[in-house]
């Protein structure tokens, strides 16, 4: 079975299992934060980058540096854990750089209501984007209702002004499961699907980005994250269909970009 | 500086930094769930074991098996992520096995209010024990007030009936930081300190268990978790001062125990 058939087959199955199958009104209403994928490398790659620092032992000083770099290089956002939300929002005020926070991270096995609370509290503290992890175990168990309801807990608190990215953690999924997860995220009203947490056995792969883009279509976001370390990595992901990049190597990527302008 | 001096020095510093330094009333009032450490291997090692399955991709079927094994072998608890709380509570009703859940897991960098919510919701769904991760980044930043307040968010929802274990993630800490974290956890009213999440660069080490036991004294719990895979590992941890063990190898440990009764 080729990719197209697989996507169509799984879309039918997901629709049937979740019965409602309503179109994703919330996603359609929201303004896209980055241009849709064109397969072209943008002249300003910085605007594609979520400048990311998620390790447990990150210090306040390191978080402040992350914010200052994001402001200096005009990255799309800083991506941090929720205990840093207020600090980052304060430091980035007026810079145009958003605060993106991770929710239910990195395992995704936190209760859906807790994901909703964590997202809501972060939004109150100034988060403009939420990167949540799906309930991978529920997906593996064939419990698609729980996968959907879990995402909707966060969709509801994001409303129309906060961008929601749904991390499917490709390293742990079969191709069928990747398609299913993207389909559910799109129908639930998310704005982006995202490949990886960066804490599992592997990060973003171009072929996964391409598959995810084919599932969600041209209007929804696809974020590649995990292992994106160089300008060349970034270009490969964008060419595969990504319109946002999660990386802790943002400065190296834009520096590489500047120094290889002929690329 | 030897261990005793280090512990005394850091205790004074923590007390001074947190100013209040009130005694831990909540911990003293709560009944210990397992006997205090004696350095002796118990005849029934099963009662020391939190039967653990925390990986992101764990399925409903695997969680059910975990519960059934815990009931069959009379383990202290099953230790799971919060999306499984209600399922485990239902399956374990009447068995005497408790549901322990992890909170802010495994990074500990989730906002304190969200940890409090995640714990409260899990308790409402039937959790009897909470294993929370400290805010490691705040500790590394010297922001002990945040470390303390973070724990207190969960202490408040646990009250007197729910056991609270505080994971300090020894692999990421200096000895000074280990002592500081244990001291704050004890003063905040936690019931146990716990070595590790099992998701960082290393798990429990006997010398860390011994250090933690010396800091918290004989009446508080010390849980060794991460890398405890055999009866011999379990015995080493108990001899070092642990009175609870977190492991996914509980069945192997009790089987090893039965087959080596002369040990």
């Amino acid at each position: 079975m080729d990719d197209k058939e697989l996507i169509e087959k799984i879309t039918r199955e997901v629709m049937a299992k979740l019965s409602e199958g309503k179109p994703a009104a919330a996603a359609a209403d929201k303004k896209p934060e980055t241009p849709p994928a064109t397969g072209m490398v943008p002249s300003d790659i910085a605007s594609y980058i979520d400048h990311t620092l998620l390790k447990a032992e990150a210090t306040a000083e390191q978080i402040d540096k992350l914010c200052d770099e994001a402001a200096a290089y005009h990255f799309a956002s800083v991506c941090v854990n929720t205990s840093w939300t207020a600090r980052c929002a304060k430091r980035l005020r007026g810079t145009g750089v958003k605060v993106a926070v991770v929710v239910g991270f990195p395992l995704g096995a936190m209760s859906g209501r807790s994901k909703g609370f964590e997202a809501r509290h972060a939004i109150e503290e100034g988060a403009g984007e939420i990167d949540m992890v799906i309930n991978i175990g529920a997906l593996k168990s064939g419990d698609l209702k729980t996968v959907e309801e879990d995402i909707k807990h966060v969709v509801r608190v994001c409303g129309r002004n906060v961008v929601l990215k749904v991390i499917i953690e490709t390293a742990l999924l079969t191709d069928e499961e990747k398609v299913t997860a993207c389909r559910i995220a799109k129908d639930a009203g998310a704005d982006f699907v995202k490949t990886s947490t960066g804490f599992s056995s592997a990060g973003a792969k171009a072929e996964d980005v391409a598959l995810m883009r084919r599932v969600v279509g041209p209007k929804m976001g696809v974020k590649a994250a995990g292992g994106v370390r160089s300008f060349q990595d970034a270009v490969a992901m964008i060419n595969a269909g990504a319109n946002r990049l999660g990386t802790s190597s943002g400065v190296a990527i834009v520096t590489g970009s500047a120094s290889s302008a002929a690329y």
Side-chain angles (χ1 to χ4, degrees), chain A:
Chain A
M1 193 182 311
D2 70 14
D3 257 14
K4 186 150 175 282
E5 287 174 299
L6 178 69
I7 293 169
E8 283 172 4
K9 176 174 171 287
I10 292 179
T11 297
R12 284 193 303 274
E13 289 171 2
V14 170
M15 292 294 193
K17 273 207 186 179
L18 295 178
S19 65
E20 304 112 314
K22 295 175 302 250
D29 289 330
K30 215 178 290 185
K31 296 275 175 292
E33 294 299 309
T34 45
T38 59
M40 300 282 282
V41 177
S43 57
D44 181 16
I45 203 169
S47 68
Y48 277 50
I49 291 176
D50 288 345
H51 197 37
T52 302
L53 180 55
L54 294 167
K55 61 181 183 179
E57 67 271 32
T59 62
E61 193 180 348
Q62 292 168 331
I63 293 290
D64 288 349
K65 180 164 174 269
L66 186 84
C67 291
D68 296 347
E69 286 172 349
Y73 290 96
H74 305 290
F75 293 137
S77 79
V78 294
C79 185
V80 298
N81 283 287
T82 49
S83 65
W84 299 113
T85 313
R87 187 179 191 99
C88 292
K90 187 176 171 199
R91 200 163 181 101
L92 287 170
R93 196 170 295 150
T95 64
V97 177
K98 295 168 83 172
V99 180
V101 297
V102 292
V103 160
F105 190 88
L107 300 179
M110 183 161 99
S111 62
R113 280 190 55 198
S114 300
K115 290 180 189 176
F117 182 93
E118 187 181 16
R120 180 157 57 84
H121 180 52
I123 292 165
E124 287 166 3
E125 292 200 316
E129 306 201 349
I130 303 289
D131 289 26
M132 71 168 286
V133 188
I134 61 162
N135 190 321
I136 300 161
L139 177 62
K140 291 273 175 190
S141 306
D143 180 5
L144 304 191
K145 274 273 181 208
T146 293
V147 177
E148 179 192 41
E149 190 49 44
D150 187 69
I151 296 170
K152 285 189 171 173
H153 275 293
V154 185
V155 166
R156 281 191 281 271
V157 301
C158 284
R160 297 193 176 194
N161 295 318
V162 175
V163 170
L164 174 58
K165 312 189 196 97
V166 171
I167 307 171
I168 68 169
E169 197 70 290
T170 49
L172 299 178
L173 306 184
T174 64
D175 278 354
E176 286 80 355
E177 289 165 346
K178 291 169 200 168
V179 173
T180 302
C182 288
R183 190 70 237 174
I184 295 174
K186 182 175 180 177
D187 290 347
D191 302 292
F192 276 79
V193 286
K194 173 176 167 184
T195 58
S196 317
T197 62
F199 285 79
S200 192
S201 51
K205 292 179 179 173
E207 61 262 35
D208 286 330
V209 170
L211 175 62
M212 292 163 72
R213 171 59 66 200
R214 283 196 295 279
V215 177
V216 303
K219 289 184 185 166
M220 192 172 175
V222 176
K223 176 175 171 182
V228 181
R229 300 215 174 84
S230 66
F231 181 64
Q232 285 69 27
D233 290 343
V235 169
M237 294 302 160
I238 292 168
N239 282 337
N243 60 331
R244 193 75 75 90
L245 306 169
T247 175
S248 55
S249 307
V251 174
I253 289 170
V254 293
T255 307
S257 170
S259 68
S260 49
Y263 184 89

